[in-house]
Amino acid sequence: MNKKNILILGGGGYVGCNLVRKLLKQNHNVIVYDLFLYKDDVFSDLKNDRNLTTINGDIRDLNKLETILENVNIIIHLACISNDPSYELNPKLGEDINFTCFPKLINKINKFNIEQFIYASSSSVYGIKEESSVTEDLKAEPITDYSKFKLECENILLNDQGKFLKTIIRPATVCGYSERQRLDVIVNILTNHAFFNKKIIIHGGEQLRPNIHIDDMSDSYIHVMKNSKISNNEIFNV
């Protein structure tokens, strides 16, 4: 794949920190646009990498975002308040970041020569299913505002008439190590308890939940990038 200028919205987050490093190893130019709410030194080991630019910015600040879009080829949208409990701490803030600014963002990028836009949705848009294998052809039935707004953004993106290629990813729950570690996701929670408490606790036991390692999650975005034309207008469970 030719060298690209890749903008990662929310690139300082859990998955973003991993993805950025993989893209840099492939010699792409990477721009990280993030508020760095939880940790601002996640790229301290890369401070001498000329291919990395970090910008402390709010995804709702479209005027600031517009100043960096001129030479961007690909946008990977990871930015959001990233789970139901965090969203519920401040629903208005969650709605503003996860949904309200999204159509304005799409309108803004349509003014530039963006080649591809990849949106990180969520497997939670399916709600609770009886089927043991939840595939993309099943109806999305989101339960929480977090997942409802994820689905709304999917629809906005798919209905947009812009010329850029677009792909939606519905990730499973991610696990594994990142420079911006999360300990609120299930496999990481169990690992944490196993190491420190020498036991894990399962509530229930009949439920199923999909999980994916963070390296595989990042690889999926890169795979979609490399196959942009055949992944256009598609939704993929990962």
Side-chain angles (χ1 to χ4, degrees), residues 14 18-19 26 36 66 75 121 131 138 140 143 145 152 155 157 165 170 180-181 189-190 198 204-205 219-220 223 225:
Y14 178 47
N18 183 284
L19 176 58
Q26 297 188 6
F36 297 100
E66 186 174 25
I75 298 175
S121 183
E131 292 86 353
L138 292 181
I143 297 171
D145 283 345
E152 286 287 337
N155 293 331
L157 182 60
L165 304 174
R170 291 174 175 171
R180 214 301 273 171
Q181 183 66 359
I189 291 173
L190 297 178
K198 309 306 178 188
D219 287 344
S220 73
H223 189 65
M225 281 172 45

Side-chain angles (χ1 to χ4, degrees), residues 61-161:
D61 187 350
L62 296 179
N63 290 329
K64 184 172 186 176
L65 196 55
E66 186 174 25
T67 63
I68 61 175
L69 290 176
E70 184 65 41
N71 296 311
V72 168
N73 304 121
I74 299 170
I75 298 175
I76 302 176
H77 189 311
L78 306 179
C80 70
I81 304 297
S82 61
N83 58 29
D84 291 319
S86 297
Y87 184 96
E88 290 163 5
L89 288 173
N90 190 332
K92 180 63 170 64
L93 177 66
E95 182 174 354
D96 286 347
I97 291 175
N98 290 14
F99 173 66
T100 307
C101 68
F102 189 79
K104 301 173 186 176
L105 170 66
I106 299 302
N107 287 336
K108 183 72 71 176
I109 69 172
N110 272 321
K111 299 177 182 178
F112 296 86
N113 293 318
I114 306 299
E115 298 170 15
Q116 186 182 20
F117 186 96
I118 303 171
Y119 176 62
S121 183
S122 170
S123 58
S124 66
V125 299
Y126 293 108
I128 299 173
K129 297 294 189 188
E130 294 297 325
E131 292 86 353
S132 59
S133 181
V134 179
T135 54
E136 294 91 340
D137 59 321
L138 292 181
K139 183 180 179 181
E141 297 176 303
I143 297 171
T144 64
D145 283 345
Y146 167 78
S147 54
K148 289 175 183 175
F149 287 135
K150 283 290 188 184
L151 186 61
E152 286 287 337
C153 290
E154 287 187 16
N155 293 331
I156 290 168
L157 182 60
L158 291 177
N159 289 322
D160 182 74
Q161 299 301 310

Side-chain angles (χ1 to χ4, degrees), residues 158-223:
L158 291 177
N159 289 322
D160 182 74
Q161 299 301 310
K163 57 187 177 182
F164 58 86
L165 304 174
K166 55 185 78 84
T167 307
I168 292 164
I169 297 293
R170 291 174 175 171
T173 302
V174 184
C175 61
Y177 175 74
S178 168
E179 291 293 331
R180 214 301 273 171
Q181 183 66 359
R182 282 181 62 177
L183 293 173
D184 62 315
V185 285
I186 186 62
V187 174
N188 292 358
I189 291 173
L190 297 178
T191 305
N192 183 22
H193 285 297
F195 184 84
F196 288 104
N197 302 328
K198 309 306 178 188
K199 68 177 181 180
I200 62 175
I201 297 171
I202 304 293
H203 297 283
E206 298 300 317
Q207 67 271 33
L208 298 174
R209 188 182 187 100
N211 294 280
I212 184 170
H213 192 272
I214 193 167
D215 283 335
D216 296 323
M217 190 68 246
S218 294
D219 287 344
S220 73
Y221 290 110
I222 295 171
H223 189 65

Side-chain angles (χ1 to χ4, degrees), residues 6 17-30 45-46 49 51-52 215 219 222 226:
I6 303 168
C17 284
N18 183 284
L19 176 58
V20 165
R21 285 169 169 82
K22 286 178 178 284
L23 291 171
L24 290 173
K25 286 180 179 178
Q26 297 188 6
N27 201 37
H28 294 295
N29 290 318
V30 180
D45 58 316
L46 301 172
D49 195 316
N51 288 341
L52 175 64
D215 283 335
D219 287 344
I222 295 171
K226 290 180 177 179

